[in-house]
């Protein structure tokens, strides 16, 4: 537990310049509080004390604004930035060095039984207000753009955006993947809707020029 707490504090200080001290990270980061409490609730859940585990998770939700089902499996150095509105479902599996921004939902579609929530590999980053739905897999070092809705598997090192999410970038450079900066790369997060409109406008201009001739 102490190693987990230490790792979580180090991740906060690495990724958030506002975390100016260990005390600041310990006291003022609800993401950290939610993660630490989840470790306790998950232990109770595995001991089949599901009522107390669920009750504890609901109390944590009330105080932090972050809902993590006690059945979710979460790896090391998990970082929730801000965190308000984050929801993590029961059968979710999260690898190491994963980052979620506020408003993220790791949920089900309401139609499955058994494993019905996503599995996130190591080094995954999920942007603000994104939804990852169903028993799908996000590969290692993959990134989900803000507001995206992901309903299909995402390969390693890929970046997805849009509704439904589509791949817009793959195979990030090794130096980028190993960087402690977990921010989403804006240079490979185009706006699919804008691109479509631009293509239509270009086609309209071409047709108008042919008509004038």
């Amino acid at each position: 537990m102490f190693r987990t707490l230490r790792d979580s504090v180090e991740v906060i200080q690495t990724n958030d310049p506002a975390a100016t001290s260990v005390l600041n990270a310990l006291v003022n980061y609800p993401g950290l509080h939610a993660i630490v409490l989840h470790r306790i609730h998950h232990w109770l859940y595995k001991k089949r004390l599901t009522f107390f585990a669920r009750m504890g998770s609901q109390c944590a939700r009330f105080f932090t604004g972050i809902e993590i089902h006690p059945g979710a499996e979460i790896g090391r150095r998990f970082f929730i930035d801000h965190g308000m509105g984050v929801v993590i479902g029961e059968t979710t599996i999260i690898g190491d060095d994963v980052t979620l921004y506020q408003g993220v939902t790791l949920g089900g579609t309401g139609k499955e039984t058994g494993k019905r929530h996503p599995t996130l590999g190591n080094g995954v980053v999920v942007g603000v207000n994104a939804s990852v739905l169903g028993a799908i897999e996000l590969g290692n070092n993959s990134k989900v753009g803000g507001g995206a809705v992901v309903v299909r598997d995402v390969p390693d090192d890929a970046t997805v955006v849009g509704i439904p999410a589509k791949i817009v970038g793959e195979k990030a450079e090794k130096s980028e993947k190993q960087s402690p900066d977990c921010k989403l790369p804006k240079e490979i997060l185009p706006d699919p809707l804008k691109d479509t409109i631009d293509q239509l406008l270009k086609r309209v201009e071409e047709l108008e020029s042919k008509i004038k001739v």
Side-chain angles (χ1 to χ4, degrees):
M1 179 63 73
F2 288 107
R3 186 179 70 174
T4 299
L5 181 61
R6 182 191 63 193
D7 288 346
S8 297
V9 170
E10 288 178 355
V11 167
I12 290 172
Q13 291 186 298
T14 298
N15 293 301
D16 191 347
T20 54
S21 68
V22 172
L23 181 61
N24 189 7
L26 288 171
V27 174
N28 296 319
Y29 282 77
L32 174 62
H33 306 156
I35 294 166
V36 171
L37 290 172
H38 171 73
R39 305 294 184 189
I40 299 171
H41 304 152
H42 185 64
W43 182 85
L44 292 172
Y45 187 85
K46 291 196 296 184
K47 296 295 183 181
R48 299 184 182 277
L49 300 171
T50 53
F51 173 80
F52 297 102
R54 197 75 176 96
M55 182 175 65
S57 70
Q58 290 301 298
C59 291
R61 175 193 179 192
F62 177 80
F63 286 106
T64 66
I66 299 168
E67 181 174 346
I68 308 177
H69 193 284
E73 299 179 19
I74 298 177
R76 297 179 60 191
R77 297 178 296 278
F78 181 46
F79 178 46
I80 302 177
D81 194 10
H82 297 289
M84 180 61 69
V86 167
V87 177
I88 300 175
E90 178 183 12
T91 59
T92 301
I93 300 175
I94 298 175
D96 298 334
D97 303 302
V98 171
T99 296
L100 305 184
Y101 289 89
Q102 64 268 28
V104 167
T105 297
L106 305 180
T109 63
K111 299 178 181 179
E112 303 111 335
T113 57
K115 181 72 170 77
R116 58 192 186 280
H117 298 104
T119 296
L120 279 62
N122 299 328
V124 173
V125 179
V126 185
V128 58
N129 292 326
S131 297
V132 185
L133 306 176
I136 61 176
E137 295 187 7
L138 272 59
N140 296 330
N141 303 303
S142 60
K143 294 178 174 63
V144 178
V149 178
V150 187
V151 293
R152 295 182 179 178
D153 292 347
V154 178
D156 293 350
D157 307 312
T159 298
V160 295
V161 299
I163 303 174
K166 297 181 179 179
I167 296 175
V168 295
E170 291 187 90
K171 300 299 179 184
E173 293 296 329
K174 184 177 181 181
S175 59
E176 286 183 359
K177 291 187 290 181
Q178 293 179 341
S179 171
D181 184 359
C182 63
K183 294 181 180 179
L184 291 169
K186 295 180 181 178
E187 67 277 7
I188 58 172
L189 285 181
D191 184 343
L193 181 59
K194 180 180 179 298
D195 292 343
T196 300
I197 293 174
D198 289 343
Q199 291 174 8
L200 289 173
L201 290 174
K202 182 178 180 181
R203 182 59 176 164
V204 168
E205 290 177 357
E206 291 175 353
L207 292 174
E208 286 179 344
S209 63
K210 290 182 179 179
I211 292 174
K212 291 178 180 179
V213 171

